[in-house]
Amino acid sequence: MERQFEEGVTLDRFLMDTLADHPEATGTFVNLCQSIALAGKMISSRVNRAGLAGMLGATGEVNIQGEFVQKLDEYANETFKRSLEHRGHTCMVVSEEEESPVLVGERWHSGRYVVTVDPLDGSSNIDCNATIGTIFGVFRRRSSEGSPAELTDVLRTGRDLVAAGYVIYGSGTVLVLGSASGVNGFTLDPTVGEFFLSHPRIRIPEGKIYSCNEAYSPRWAEGVNRFVQRAKERGFRARYIGSLVADFHRTLVKGGVFLYPADDRSPKGKLRLLYEGFPLAFLAEKAGGAATDGRGAILDRLPEELHERTPLFIGDESLVNEVTDLNRS
Ligand code: AHG
Ligand code: MN
Ligand code: MN
């Protein structure tokens, strides 16, 4: 693919260029993105050395999700929260690893942004060195600056998101950031410690790939099984990594559709709405794709509690619409 962009555009340069497009901007959002990028670099470094730094395996604790906390889950959570403190841009963090919202830093009254985060997605893959990542969403607070952030700052529809993205720790470390400027990917050059623009203006291509954990198909709705059967008859390939962030990144770059349907064991779905479904649905729609919960658009959902779960059908718009119609039928 011919190079569509100028060599050597750093994340900072890209953010400053977008700042120029928004004269009313104060630079606080740029500052927030830089904090998230720093957290991504630190987590990437630790993930890459996990096997050497005694960071594999579990802590022995169980989190609010009822899942065993991996050492890297805990490290990623602490690192992410710490990177958002003391910068004055964030007033509250909602994390998969925290039962309640976290008011960050001593200046949290003033921060204008609320951040949701899955500090490390795909934890079950850590010890077998498969791709994992950090997923985040950004809301502009509703409550007035100067007062403590409130639950209504985060229990709101995904349509209120102002940005979302992830840092994926795979063969390389890539930050994918979605905002009003579209979806752009930045690859970390570890020799200089900088993210460089590598995937400008990402759009989901057509792709004959379906991605799901077929072990659960006996418990899926009939319509979902019919979709998978049709995909096989149409010559689709199956790909499933078992890390949502990795399965989504492949879908964003190569097309196709990712399915995590509800089933009789998890009638509301397994994935979490606030820090998995919403951020990835924001990116999918910004990149010309779609995301539903098997009934309606994920971004239209209004969460009632922080760790609410959801089914997820995400990727190429026509495929998502087809499987959603079949799931509803
Ligand atoms: P997390 O590691 O943050 O708990 O997320 C795990 C999720 C997601 O990454 C992945 O798509 C899914 O669990 C895999 O579930 P199965 O093992 O049931 O396929
Ligand atoms: Mn996750
Ligand atoms: Mn996680």
Side-chain angles (χ1 to χ4, degrees):
M1 179 172 78
E2 82 287 348
R3 282 199 176 286
Q4 301 164 353
F5 56 94
E6 187 187 336
E7 292 272 348
V9 174
T10 62
L11 173 66
D12 286 357
R13 153 102 185 266
F14 179 88
L15 291 171
M16 294 316 288
D17 287 351
T18 52
L19 195 59
D21 299 341
H22 300 277
E24 76 289 354
T26 61
T28 309
F29 177 70
V30 168
N31 195 336
L32 170 58
C33 292
Q34 291 166 332
S35 299
I36 291 172
L38 173 62
K41 291 179 200 175
M42 295 171 73
I43 297 166
S44 170
S45 170
R46 187 61 63 98
V47 163
N48 293 339
R49 291 179 298 113
L52 303 174
M55 287 298 284
L56 295 177
T59 61
E61 277 125 56
V62 175
N63 66 11
I64 175 65
Q65 321 287 340
E67 295 160 345
F68 284 109
V69 178
Q70 301 301 306
K71 289 177 189 168
L72 275 176
D73 281 324
E74 189 170 68
Y75 174 81
N77 187 46
E78 291 309 316
T79 302
F80 195 87
K81 288 189 298 181
R82 210 174 313 120
S83 73
L84 298 183
E85 289 180 340
H86 317 299
R87 305 287 294 265
H89 44 56
T90 302
C91 57
M92 181 162 72
V93 173
V94 168
S95 166
E96 177 195 17
E97 304 300 335
E98 303 279 352
E99 184 167 358
S100 314
V102 178
L103 304 177
V104 291
E106 73 281 358
R107 293 165 55 195
W108 42 267
H109 285 232
S110 58
R112 68 175 58 169
Y113 293 107
V114 172
V115 181
T116 64
V117 64
D118 177 352
L120 206 64
D121 173 72
S123 311
S124 61
N125 283 315
I126 291 172
D127 291 4
C128 55
N129 202 40
T131 297
I132 51 183
T134 302
I135 307 171
F136 62 89
V138 182
F139 288 107
R140 180 85 188 248
R141 75 184 296 175
R142 280 172 158 160
S143 54
S144 54
E145 293 185 26
S147 58
E150 296 159 10
L151 268 180
T152 50
D153 285 316
V154 72
L155 292 182
R156 56 207 285 199
T157 80
R159 298 289 171 201
D160 286 354
L161 282 168
V162 293
Y166 54 83
V167 186
I168 184 167
Y169 315 111
S171 48
T173 294
V174 177
L175 164 65
V176 172
L177 177 64
S179 66
S181 322
V183 180
N184 293 278
F186 303 83
T187 298
L188 179 65
D189 178 342
T191 63
V192 296
E194 273 295 350
F195 281 104
F196 290 88
L197 182 64
S198 51
H199 302 69
R201 297 176 303 285
I202 299 175
R203 304 290 291 175
I204 297 181
E206 286 223 358
K208 294 176 76 172
I209 302 170
Y210 75 91
S211 181
C212 56
N213 188 335
E214 284 197 67
Y216 307 148
S217 61
R219 301 199 297 264
W220 293 342
E222 173 47 36
V224 177
N225 280 305
R226 224 174 318 139
F227 174 81
V228 170
Q229 186 48 38
R230 279 186 189 174
K232 291 174 180 172
E233 289 159 3
R234 285 140 78 177
F236 275 46
R237 283 175 296 142
R239 290 283 184 277
Y240 191 70
I241 302 165
S243 268
L244 171 62
V245 65
D247 283 315
F248 177 76
H249 187 66
R250 181 203 54 250
T251 305
L252 192 69
V253 172
K254 291 186 174 290
V257 64
F258 172 87
L259 316 171
Y260 207 110
D263 62 30
D264 49 21
R265 218 178 34 168
S266 334
K268 292 190 172 168
K270 171 184 183 181
L271 301 173
R272 278 55 57 114
L273 182 60
L274 264 179
Y275 38 81
E276 290 174 316
F278 272 177
L280 300 186
F282 179 91
L283 293 170
E285 289 198 6
K286 285 282 181 196
T292 72
D293 59 3
R295 300 233 158 275
I298 285 274
L299 291 179
D300 291 339
R301 284 274 296 270
L302 178 62
E304 287 165 14
E305 59 97 22
L306 295 179
H307 302 289
E308 186 165 320
R309 294 180 185 260
T310 181
L312 183 63
F313 298 69
I314 191 167
D316 171 282
E317 184 175 21
S318 61
L319 294 174
V320 169
N321 291 340
E322 182 184 340
V323 65
T324 301
D325 290 346
L326 283 167
N327 184 61
R328 276 194 299 236
S329 60

